[in-house]
Amino acid sequence: MWPNKFDYLRAGSVAEALASAADGGKFLAGGHSLLPAMKLRLDSPEQLIDIGRIPELQGISANGALTIGAAATHAEIAASSDVQTMCAALASACGQVGDQAVRNFGTIGGNIAHADPASDPPTVLVACGATVNIQGADGARSVAAQDFFIDLFETALEDGELITSLSLPNCSDCQCAYVKFPHPASRYAIVGVAVCLKMDGGSCAQADVAVGGATMKAVKCAGAEAALTGTTLDDAALSAAAEAVKADIADDLIGDIAYPEAYRQQMAGVFLKRAVAAAQG
Amino acid sequence: MTTRIFGSGIKRREDPRLITGEARYTDDIKLPGVLHMAVVRSPYAHANILSIDSSAAEAMEGVVAVYTSEDIGDGLAGLPTAWLIPDSDLKTPEHPALAKGKVRYVGDGVAIVLADDRYRAQDAADAVVVEYEELPAVIDPEEAAGEGAPLIHDDVEGNIAFTWAPFDEEASNAAFEAADVVVSERILQQRLLPTAMEPRSAMAQYNAATEELTLWCTSQNPHIHRFIISAVTGLNENKVRVIAPEVGGGFGSKIPCYPDEALVSWAAIKLGVPVKWTETRSENYLITIHGRDHVQHVEMAASNDGKILGVRATVYAGMGGYLSTAAPGIPTILHGLLYVGPYTIDSVYCKSIGVMTNGTPTDAYRGAGRPEATFLLERMVDNVAREIGMDPAELRRRNLIPAFEDGHDVAAGLTYDSGDYPAAFEKALDMAGYGDFRRQQKSAEAEGRYLGIGVTAYTEMCGLGPSQVAGAVGFQGGLWESATVRVTPTGKVQALIGASPHGQGSETTLAQIIADELGFPVDDIEVIHGDTTETPMGWGTYGSRTTPVTGAALAQASRKLKDKARALAAHLMEANVDDIEYADGSFSVKGSPDQAQSIQDVALMAHLAWNMPEGMDPGFEESQFYDPPNFVYPFGTHIAIVEVHAETGEIDLQRYIAVDDCGPQINPEIVAGQIHGGVVQGVAQALCEGVVYDDNGQLLTGSMMDYCMPKADMFPNFELGETVTPSPHHPVGVKGVGETGTIASTPTVYNAVLDALAPLGVNQIDMPLTSAKVWSAIQDARS
């Protein structure tokens, strides 16, 4: 409620933001992860560099693939017809972050930089093979979402680096969905499952599956993918995938006082089935 | 024909200012030169304080002073416990405003920082270095009362603050021995966080020349706060003014007098400048009282044909680190006396053991003792039904007390005022379609779906209460209320009350009573409360007592005014008083309806006093002290229908039916609002709310990220019904309704869930019924 003293600077460009970051400090975009931590004095940066209005970080564009500016808000992404067409699961996940006020302020870049394990968008980004575009003092680089998330609140971002945008493949010919079991208290994910299915006739040619919420980071689930691929997504395949997904996440499980690891692991199986049903729906 | 204002669901007059943000809360009040207080709080649940070094903090910019208990010395007396229950060997350990040598819960105050800015105060508080020697902590009340538990107060042996057992144990044992069936259960009434929308706040200002202290604070009972602040500061009570401005909810948590209110008062006196403190939500969860916290060992005895013969319980009630203002009365007087409920149970026994723990102090939280009683009773009725193979609704029907209009003595020692429990019960069952539901439930089960129904019949004691009873049960105050109805020369009304509503809509409800009695337009009536200098003495707003007790005082004061108006009108119209007729705010002479005096005309003439009858005083104002002759006993039946999803353990609350009888409803919209809010809070206890501490006494549910507040989308539209049984002893027949929803709803939903789980072999789950716990219970039953 009463943060420590800090300086505030609004950057007009990525270059200015990066130059300012050389003196230390933290980037502030929507502030919906950082400010609560500062209010509780869990984080006390000496300087906040506000990147929320930098023109280069804005906007969503579709040009064969999707490019989403890091400062795009959850509400913008959820409402974007391009995102709805090219990655419906991401639109859905962003539409389930927090409440409307949070979605109006919170940004996708801030969300993934924070890397809350219970957050919704990372699960979809990992499932759908997104790329995180990063700018640092030494130049630009891109990291696959799957490699970007390292651990609880830990990412591949180096000090002073800034996420500029996300790239997503065009998934408009896929059936994709994100389904979430919200924590009754916080509405963060107890477990969230994203699936992206490429169907060939009645058969599943390719399945991408990721699980978040129940895990330290969004986890790509190869076992579940294998159990679905080449099947007609019948009950037997779904049951096999539900079992497989529990094994896929077994090493990465987390829990809390109300929803322990074992429960979340089981629910990942239940919600995988629901995600596949939603994707096909 | 005019519509009677009594019984009309007019909009709450409080709402425009609340909705538009124009309400003025304690923290909104700004005084020049105010210092901000931050409290250095213990990070340990139980520890000795070895040293406190405030030198760095004192040197920081803007810091005026840092004080510890040593600095305060005897400048503040310990905070009193104000409910001294008799015959219980009650111990009242010292509760200093700042810890003396030892801390007893996480959040216990160790030092205060006064600074010119709230941020700087917090910075300096963080810079106070306190060295602790950590001691083993104990949170569970039953464990704290057991062998080998760490001793929390040297003068409270075995951590047992009191043992209250007023009933005849031998008679109870005999009833149990003679019974066909005895069922038992260990019930955990988990700790709850009251979570009023507005956190607590206090600001004090002292005038050294007049020796007057003004304390603005979030209080449900400013007159009690004045009394206690006077006692702890040593100031004369007439030199203390307590103002509760707009107060954003309390649910009991703003009844007690806390250390913080004493500390701002002391610091304002010491420094001669105003001092303000407003808690954060994190502080609110750590230091503002918690509710419930019982470990109950309950038994019920019955005959095979469904006659309930007795109920008995041993209750370990967690008091936390200190005894809060009213704490001892909650798990005793307000709990054990309710063990009969609405049933013809001839034998009750309750042994309630108040136990000091290293948790936050507990005290009254919406329902206060009565939800804990109603839950155990209703849970055991369902257990008996299951044991003897009888439908639980039928078992209740067979044991309900038949209708009575004017007094019914029960085995727990109370005399209920009036009730028609079977009428409310049958109405609720009809609304729910109980018989049809049982058939649907069977067919759903055949499809692998688990539906359940819970039925709660309840009555409760509220409208606290006769002062003679208050004295007999050790409450250190009266429980009457007083009110003044003051009419201005232009015929507008100011009603001054000693109670202190804080969100209930009482300004509207009470104005409706006055309007109904005197015929003033309701919009011409203002209800003024919350300032000990402006308002007459009163004991506060809690225990569903403001409408019953203050409402009675206002009705009677209004009737005095009406008598005066009638006599003056007769005089002015040169008629005999007996020939005066009254209707809709107008006095006329029988047989000459064209000659009339409105209540406003009469008020003006009373003020002018140009032409008064012999012996009549001028002015148009009356006061009334009202001491209720008995409690009031609202009652009803609540029903919940749920579906439990076995795959996830999720609970879908599909229908909620509430039939409540609070006597004649003054404002049905406000009654509905109270029931809605109460039901939500009670259901939340069943389904999602619950404090969790770790073994070291650290609060793990320290924010709403982990402490699950109910959300609107958890609930269906409530289906409300009512019956109307007036209280025979009340001037307008009304009973309280502020707590009924909370009292009835927790067992209703709990029993519905356990009913749904019965085919799966699940018999008991501790609250709250999270999906994870339900799912685990199903797995355990299957394996």
Side-chain angles (χ1 to χ4, degrees), chain B residues 327-402:
Chain B
I330 311 303
T332 54
I333 311 300
L334 292 178
H335 176 73
L337 300 184
L338 255 288
Y339 274 17
V340 166
Y343 304 115
T344 54
I345 302 176
D346 292 335
S347 170
V348 294
Y349 180 75
C350 170
K351 180 187 198 177
S352 182
I353 303 161
V355 189
M356 306 312 299
T357 71
N358 293 115
T360 300
T362 59
D363 207 322
Y365 168 58
R366 199 171 191 174
R370 292 154 286 162
E372 300 93 312
T374 304
F375 185 94
L376 71 82
L377 193 56
E378 288 303 292
R379 184 67 204 131
M380 300 315 284
V381 173
D382 263 31
N383 286 343
V384 167
R386 196 183 286 198
E387 183 71 21
I388 64 174
M390 183 179 284
D391 180 86
E394 178 57 25
L395 177 61
R396 285 179 171 83
R397 180 180 282 124
R398 289 184 186 198
N399 286 278
L400 287 175
I401 297 168

Side-chain angles (χ1 to χ4, degrees), chain A residues 62-222:
Chain A
N63 188 7
L66 260 180
T67 304
I68 300 175
T73 63
H74 301 301
E76 283 175 63
I77 297 168
S80 159
S81 56
D82 287 334
V83 180
Q84 288 167 3
T85 305
M86 295 172 73
C87 189
L90 185 63
S92 164
C94 288
Q96 295 180 61
V97 172
D99 57 22
Q100 189 64 49
V102 171
R103 293 193 289 272
N104 285 341
F105 263 87
T107 66
I108 188 81
N111 180 288
I112 66 171
H114 186 58
D116 189 314
S119 184
D120 304 303
T123 308
V124 177
L125 298 177
V126 167
C128 295
T131 303
V132 183
N133 303 311
I134 295 167
Q135 183 84 39
D138 302 329
R141 65 189 179 111
S142 294
V143 180
Q146 198 177 335
D147 301 323
F148 178 81
F149 298 105
I150 293 174
D151 207 337
L152 292 169
F153 304 105
E154 192 183 336
T155 69
L157 270 182
E158 301 286 346
D159 279 351
E161 283 188 328
L162 187 60
I163 300 167
T164 53
S165 66
L166 296 170
S167 305
L168 281 96
N170 183 352
C171 202
S172 54
D173 59 345
C174 314
Q175 297 180 341
C176 67
Y178 174 73
V179 176
K180 166 186 185 178
F181 189 2
H183 194 296
S186 65
R187 299 282 159 104
Y188 276 81
I190 290 173
V191 61
V193 180
V195 298
C196 190
L197 309 170
K198 280 203 171 68
M199 300 302 289
D200 182 5
S203 170
C204 177
Q206 185 184 331
D208 288 294
V209 177
V211 170
T215 48
M216 289 185 275
K217 57 176 180 175
V219 172
K220 194 86 171 12
C221 297

Side-chain angles (χ1 to χ4, degrees), chain B residues 114-134:
Chain B
L114 289 308
D116 61 358
D117 172 280
R118 182 64 183 83
Y119 291 88
R120 287 172 168 171
Q122 194 62 48
D123 290 345
D126 289 353
V128 174
V129 180
V130 186
E131 195 184 349
Y132 296 96
E133 176 193 24
E134 195 176 357

Side-chain angles (χ1 to χ4, degrees), chain A residues 1-4 40-41 181 183-188 256-260 262-263 266-267 270-271 273-274, chain B residues 118-119 122-123 126 280 282 647-648 650 692 700-701 704-709 711 713 770-772 775:
Chain A
M1 191 62 200
W2 304 101
N4 284 104
L40 294 169
R41 299 195 167 200
F181 189 2
H183 194 296
S186 65
R187 299 282 159 104
Y188 276 81
D256 70 0
I257 47 177
Y259 300 92
Y263 177 69
Q266 294 296 325
M267 292 306 110
V270 174
F271 279 78
K273 291 184 190 174
R274 293 188 187 180
Chain B
R118 182 64 183 83
Y119 291 88
Q122 194 62 48
D123 290 345
D126 289 353
T280 63
S282 306
E647 194 178 37
T648 59
E650 286 171 290
V692 181
L700 300 180
T701 47
M704 292 181 204
M705 291 290 284
D706 292 302
Y707 186 79
C708 183
M709 294 298 294
K711 321 277 190 295
D713 64 3
T770 62
S771 59
W775 181 85

Side-chain angles (χ1 to χ4, degrees), chain B residues 468-543:
Chain B
Q468 195 181 349
V469 175
V473 299
F475 185 75
Q476 300 298 293
L479 282 172
W480 47 266
E481 284 297 325
S482 72
T484 297
V485 179
R486 179 179 292 165
V487 184
T488 67
T490 57
K492 310 298 177 191
V493 182
Q494 293 179 307
L496 302 137
I497 62 170
S500 197
H502 43 279
Q504 293 85 350
S506 307
E507 291 172 29
T508 308
T509 307
L510 297 175
Q512 286 179 264
I513 292 178
I514 299 166
D516 187 62
E517 293 287 340
L518 286 172
F520 287 105
V522 72
D523 289 340
D524 285 353
I525 302 167
E526 186 185 5
V527 176
I528 297 166
H529 57 85
D531 181 337
T532 57
T533 295
E534 277 187 4
T535 65
M537 175 68 193
W539 295 94
T541 291
Y542 45 81

